[in-house]
Amino acid sequence: ISACLVGSEMCKETVPNRAHIRDIVNELFGGPAPTSVAGLSEKELIAKEAAKIEVQNGTLTPGLAQRTAEYLKSLGYSVVSFGNADRTDYATCVIIDYSGKTNTVNLLAKRFHITPENVRRYTGLQSQVDVRLVLGLDYAASPAP
């Protein structure tokens, strides 16, 4: 981006703040999962955000949400509930972000191989949880964690 005054011989170059732009794009569309922020490990990032997570089974696989909730708890996530989703035909996993807790969302997306188009952000809505993870057939068919 550059800005020049018409009729002026001087042209003022404007340098974009790429780091700021990258942060905004990653927040809007889900970016790469951070491996560390300010020297924090994944476990420290999880603890720092303390996101309340709900795990839902969007498949017909019995016990999938409970097993996954236990797995996430063993990694340090704060899973506050688990159960069945609104339907059982989710082809892929979906993350619904109600809180804007970007590090947790990105780490979950990376762990469950969730593409950016399957990360939904509804930060203006009231919710009992910060993040909802809906498990799909892609995860149910994969080897257990």
Side-chain angles (χ1 to χ4, degrees):
I1 300 174
S2 65
C4 296
L5 296 174
V6 177
S8 170
E9 292 183 41
M10 294 183 60
C11 181
K12 180 182 177 189
E13 297 262 341
T14 305
V15 180
N17 183 336
R18 295 186 192 284
H20 184 65
I21 293 169
R22 186 177 320 108
D23 290 343
I24 292 170
V25 169
N26 287 343
E27 184 175 328
L28 290 172
F29 301 107
T35 53
S36 68
V37 172
L40 298 178
S41 68
E42 179 177 336
K43 202 163 203 130
E44 291 169 324
L45 281 173
I46 293 166
K48 181 180 179 193
E49 281 193 338
K52 294 179 285 188
I53 299 170
E54 177 178 52
V55 179
Q56 292 187 345
N57 184 358
T59 75
L60 292 172
T61 305
L64 185 64
Q66 180 180 4
R67 286 192 307 275
T68 305
E70 290 168 1
Y71 167 66
L72 289 173
K73 285 179 184 180
S74 76
L75 297 174
Y77 288 93
S78 176
V79 178
V80 296
S81 65
F82 61 87
N84 292 326
D86 57 338
R87 56 182 220 263
T88 59
D89 63 347
Y90 280 85
T92 59
C93 295
V94 174
I95 291 177
I96 303 168
D97 175 15
Y98 296 105
S99 65
K101 296 195 176 186
T102 308
N103 290 322
T104 299
V105 169
N106 288 341
L107 289 167
L108 287 171
K110 181 179 178 183
R111 184 165 303 282
F112 290 89
H113 308 288
I114 299 172
T115 59
E117 58 269 10
N118 285 328
V119 176
R120 317 281 162 65
R121 300 184 193 283
Y122 300 110
T123 54
L125 298 177
Q126 292 288 350
S127 176
Q128 300 277 346
V129 297
D130 297 315
V131 178
R132 177 174 294 139
L133 171 63
V134 181
L135 304 171
L137 294 170
D138 59 339
Y139 180 70
S142 68

